[in-house]
Amino acid sequence: GRSTTRGGDVSTVAELRARLRTRFPQQAWALFWEVRDGTGFITAGRTADAIAMGLWPSRGLEVHGFELKLTRHDWQRELSKPEKAEAIQGYCDRWWVVAPDGVVADGELPRTWGLLEAPARGLKCRREAPTLEAKPLDRIFVASLARAMQRKSVDLFDQQFRAANTWTKDQTFASVLSQIKALHIQRVEQKIQARAFQDAIKALGVV
């Protein structure tokens, strides 16, 4: 069987996130990081590493959940308590593990989970996630998705502010301006995605 401490060239969660974003492009998917099963203190307090929600009603508005695991130790800890995923998995049409090559050994994956592996480039679907019987999204979970989106928007604003106000002696005006413009484009794209997310929620008829 396949079992190594870490596989491929991926060494950070940020790299796994970047590859996931490439596989779920923002014109078609809203992608959220660190999503809890709800806001406040009335839920189980479980967190998914990522949630992707389809934005096109013509393609079904599917919701996919993800656990990102960098090392075999991380994966084995997750595998020891697979029921922890159920609070959020219940809202998802598909549930995935995203990990470097070799982190998940043959035969270890729960039957309701799919596997996306990160080789030298991109993500490779090693096992397709089966379609689940997802329960309808409710307001408490939608509030959690909205909070994750808002957190990302605030982070982008903070980065743009810091870029404009914390020059170093090695930076030129042109390089700082380029960085600010790039962050501004991300903020505009984030606003467009937020509107698309609102439209998708309406189409789902969340109450």
Side-chain angles (χ1 to χ4, degrees):
R2 299 152 54 256
S3 60
T4 60
T5 301
R6 176 180 287 157
D9 297 321
V10 180
S11 59
T12 67
V13 171
E15 292 176 74
L16 286 180
R17 286 183 173 186
R19 296 190 187 198
L20 201 58
R21 167 47 76 199
T22 300
R23 189 176 181 90
F24 292 85
Q26 63 184 11
Q27 64 267 28
W29 297 87
L31 196 53
F32 311 89
W33 310 118
E34 301 295 333
V35 178
R36 288 172 59 87
D37 55 344
T39 55
F41 301 96
I42 62 174
T43 63
R46 303 303 188 193
T47 301
D49 291 330
I51 295 288
M53 181 177 176
L55 299 175
W56 296 348
S58 61
R59 296 190 180 181
L61 300 172
E62 279 199 342
V63 177
H64 293 222
F66 307 89
E67 289 293 336
L68 280 55
K69 301 300 170 189
L70 270 180
T71 67
R72 181 125 181 97
H73 173 73
D74 290 342
W75 166 240
Q76 289 178 318
R77 187 169 54 185
E78 180 73 25
L79 195 59
S80 68
K81 295 182 179 179
E83 68 278 2
K84 288 175 60 179
E86 293 175 359
I88 298 181
Q89 186 182 28
Y91 291 108
C92 298
D93 299 290
R94 299 176 192 271
W95 190 260
W96 302 86
V97 176
V98 186
D101 284 341
V103 166
V104 179
D106 292 335
E108 288 184 332
L109 209 60
R111 63 180 182 83
T112 58
W113 297 26
L115 175 59
L116 293 172
E117 284 192 328
R121 294 182 179 179
L123 289 177
K124 176 179 66 177
C125 181
R126 183 165 181 83
R127 193 175 93 180
E128 187 71 32
T131 302
L132 307 173
E133 293 186 13
K135 61 185 178 183
L137 300 186
D138 53 32
R139 289 191 179 190
I140 192 69
F141 188 62
V142 169
S144 185
L145 293 174
R147 174 174 285 176
M149 179 169 282
Q150 182 183 54
R151 184 170 60 241
K152 180 178 179 180
S153 180
V154 170
D155 287 346
L156 285 172
F157 178 83
D158 287 346
Q159 290 177 46
Q160 190 175 19
F161 181 84
R162 286 197 299 271
N165 291 277
T166 56
W167 292 25
T168 68
K169 63 180 181 180
D170 297 323
Q171 288 180 296
T172 64
F173 175 77
S175 68
V176 173
L177 184 60
S178 176
Q179 185 179 3
I180 293 172
K181 284 182 176 179
L183 290 167
H184 176 70
I185 290 171
Q186 289 184 56
R187 289 184 63 200
V188 170
E189 290 174 343
Q190 178 73 5
K191 290 179 180 178
I192 293 172
Q193 190 178 66
R195 286 196 292 269
F197 169 63
Q198 291 170 356
D199 291 340
I201 290 297
K202 289 179 181 177
L204 284 169
V206 175
V207 296

